[in-house]
């Protein structure tokens, strides 16, 4: 009879942390259906909705990020919340009695895995980015195993603990059976035309949106092409107002949010996207030609570092956030019309794919628990 498997998974704040966390939980469940899994997140953050929607229980901590610069008086309250969170995390762990704890980055994981370390519970951390996050760097010393998505992570973590696994992605993307033609028809688009998909994450990306708004005439003139533009929920109202003044051309489909990204990727010949770690892992696994526009509003400019890991292997194109409004749409039109370039990007990005990440990590989690 196998020993009971009880797993804590902690982290979140963004979809980039939550998708891998849920994928790891699903993979653990697939290998050990009897496993008891509890998530620990930060109150008020995205994981508090997304994790229960995926079918798992989650406990929230009152943890939040420090303000910059660190000497701001408000950080006294942040520090007190951290101490309160670590105390609460210890109580949750004592009640749940896990035999292993997994951290995927984000505020909550620093308190939850810090508590696990102090209670002698083995820990595994998963780092999605090519530039390690603060929480994971702090936790690395006491972690038993560190699963990474990029080579060269020895500059952040002890080399003997590192395992190159890749990032777990949304299973629905890999399971999408819809054809390109079906996907385009479901979106009311022409299967005979090449398609550019612009996405800025679920909330949207202001720079990508501005790039579209400033180049409506170029999009309208590209008669052999069609564009799918996900504006993001945050910007949808504002853009709807602007489109009343300047209506979108017939070859531009405007959507505030795309629920089925698997179908949207199937429809696309080229994607324009931010350079979040989860998105990049998805593009690698499906071999998607992509132009990356890294967000400048992230810690340590890690999205630029993620993007350059691909650009240096000729696996993606890069446009800086500052240059995007001027050159992004022109580059997209030139690239999608260049079959040789699309084929080269497809081939090189596929070579960077690391499949079965969630299952590989889940096996390590189970091994540590035993």
């Amino acid at each position: 009879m196998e020993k009971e498997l009880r797993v804590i998974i902690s982290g979140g704040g963004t979809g980039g942390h939550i998708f891998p966390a849920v994928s790891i939980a699903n993979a653990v469940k697939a290998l050990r259906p009897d496993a008891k899994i509890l998530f620990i997140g930060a109150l008020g953050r995205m994981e508090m909705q997304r994790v229960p929607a995926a079918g798992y229980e989650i406990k929230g901590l009152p943890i939040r990020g420090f303000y910059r610069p660190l000497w701001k008086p408000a950080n006294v309250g942040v520090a007190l919340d951290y101490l309160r969170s670590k105390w609460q995390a210890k109580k949750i762990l004592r009640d749940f009695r896990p035999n292993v704890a997994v951290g995927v980055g984000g505020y909550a994981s620093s308190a939850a895995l810090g508590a696990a370390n102090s209670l002698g519970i083995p820990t595994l951390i998963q780092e999605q980015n090519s530039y390690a996050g603060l929480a994971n760097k702090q936790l690395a010393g006491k972690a038993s195993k560190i699963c990474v998505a990029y080579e060269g992570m020895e500059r952040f973590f002890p080399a003997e603990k590192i395992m190159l696994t890749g990032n777990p992605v949304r299973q629905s993307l890999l399971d999408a059976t819809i054809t390109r033609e079906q996907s385009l028809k479901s979106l009311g688009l022409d299967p005979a035309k090449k398609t550019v998909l612009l996405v800025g994450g679920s909330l949207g990306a202001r720079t990508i949106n501005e790039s579209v708004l400033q180049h409506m005439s170029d999009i309208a003139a590209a008669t052999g092409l069609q564009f799918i533009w996900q504006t993001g929920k945050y910007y949808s109202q504002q853009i709807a107002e602007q489109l009343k003044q300047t209506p979108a051309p017939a070859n531009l489909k405007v959507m505030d949010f795309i629920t089925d990204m698997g179908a949207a990727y199937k429809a696309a010949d080229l994607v324009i996207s931010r350079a979040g770690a989860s998105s990049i892992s998805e593009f690698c696994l499906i071999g998607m030609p992509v132009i990356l526009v890294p967000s400048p509003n992230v810690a340590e400019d890690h999205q630029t570092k993620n993007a350059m890991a691909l650009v240096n292997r000729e696996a993606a194109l890069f446009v800086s956030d500052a240059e995007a409004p001027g050159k992004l749409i022109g580059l997209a039109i030139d690239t999608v019309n260049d079959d040789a370039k699309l084929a080269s990007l497809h081939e090189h990005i596929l070579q960077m794919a690391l499949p079965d990440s969630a299952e590989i990590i889940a096996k390590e989690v189970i091994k540590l628990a035993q």
Side-chain angles (χ1 to χ4, degrees):
M1 173 112 176
E2 284 184 297
K3 174 172 126 178
E4 186 179 46
L5 179 60
R6 302 179 75 85
V7 183
I8 285 281
I9 301 180
S10 184
T14 65
H17 291 313
I18 299 162
F19 295 140
V22 170
S23 297
I24 292 167
N26 291 343
V28 168
K29 275 285 196 190
L31 292 167
R32 284 285 301 271
D34 62 314
K36 305 279 188 296
I37 298 174
L38 176 66
F39 280 74
I40 298 177
L43 288 168
R45 303 291 290 193
M46 201 191 286
E47 59 267 26
M48 299 308 294
Q49 277 79 48
R50 293 281 181 91
V51 168
Y56 294 99
E57 187 188 351
I58 185 166
K59 304 270 189 192
L61 302 176
I63 196 163
R64 51 205 170 103
F66 282 96
Y67 298 98
R68 312 275 178 199
L70 287 175
W71 43 260
K72 277 195 173 181
N75 282 327
V76 173
V78 177
L80 289 171
D81 279 345
Y82 175 78
L83 294 173
R84 197 178 300 130
S85 295
K86 200 163 173 187
W87 179 83
Q88 286 184 18
K90 272 190 179 172
K91 184 175 184 320
I92 292 166
L93 293 175
R94 286 197 179 104
D95 290 346
F96 185 71
R97 305 187 321 282
N99 19 43
V100 63
V102 179
V104 295
Y107 308 139
S109 67
S110 60
L113 267 76
N117 287 329
S118 65
L119 293 171
I121 297 160
T123 60
L124 176 147
I125 57 179
Q126 197 260 328
E127 175 55 61
Q128 294 100 38
N129 292 292
S130 62
Y131 194 95
L134 189 61
N136 281 346
K137 283 194 281 192
Q138 288 172 336
L139 294 165
K142 293 188 173 167
S144 305
K145 186 69 72 176
I146 301 166
C147 297
V148 300
Y150 292 90
E151 289 167 355
M153 298 301 283
E154 298 80 13
R155 65 192 196 280
F156 305 110
F157 302 132
E160 70 280 2
K161 295 181 179 183
I162 293 175
M163 184 174 184
L164 184 66
T165 58
N167 280 326
V169 302
R170 292 174 280 189
Q171 197 57 39
S172 58
L173 292 181
L174 306 179
D175 295 343
T177 54
I178 192 170
T179 65
R180 178 179 185 276
E181 193 170 340
Q182 286 169 335
S183 177
L184 285 163
K185 280 185 172 166
S186 75
L187 291 161
L189 296 171
D190 183 351
K193 289 184 176 180
K194 284 193 174 169
T195 307
V196 178
L197 170 65
L198 302 105
V199 285
S202 55
L203 294 177
R206 191 183 55 173
T207 304
I208 292 176
N209 291 342
E210 283 175 0
S211 304
V212 176
L213 290 166
Q214 289 179 29
H215 292 271
M216 288 288 202
S217 56
D218 295 322
I219 289 170
T223 49
L225 304 178
Q226 56 199 353
F227 297 77
I228 305 166
W229 175 25
Q230 180 189 273
T231 62
K233 290 186 170 172
Y234 187 77
Y235 298 99
S236 60
Q237 201 56 47
Q238 174 195 336
I239 286 166
E241 291 300 317
Q242 285 174 276
L243 292 177
K244 284 178 188 169
Q245 317 296 320
T246 316
N251 62 338
L252 175 63
K253 183 170 182 71
V254 185
M255 305 172 76
D256 64 343
F257 185 68
I258 298 170
T259 37
D260 189 350
M261 281 310 296
Y265 287 157
K266 276 279 167 72
D269 297 279
L270 175 71
V271 172
I272 292 169
S273 170
R274 289 303 201 190
S278 288
S279 298
I280 285 179
S281 297
E282 290 171 358
F283 300 143
C284 291
L285 284 166
I286 60 178
M288 177 57 71
V290 62
I291 301 174
L292 296 168
V293 186
S295 169
N297 311 312
V298 293
E300 312 284 359
D301 195 25
H302 69 252
Q303 285 204 4
T304 296
K305 296 173 177 90
N306 290 348
M308 294 316 293
L310 273 70
V311 172
N312 293 337
R313 307 251 309 249
E314 297 180 359
L317 301 178
F318 168 88
V319 176
S320 73
D321 191 78
E323 291 180 317
K327 67 186 274 191
L328 180 60
I329 298 301
L331 177 63
I333 290 169
D334 290 346
T335 304
V336 81
N337 280 321
D338 184 340
D339 288 342
K341 186 67 184 172
L342 288 179
S344 165
L345 288 168
H346 168 74
E347 186 186 328
H348 288 135
I349 200 167
L350 260 185
Q351 288 167 2
M352 296 189 71
L354 292 164
D356 307 318
S357 302
E359 188 181 339
I360 293 164
I361 295 168
K363 284 178 177 170
E364 288 302 310
V365 170
I366 292 166
K367 210 185 288 181
L368 278 182
Q370 290 166 346

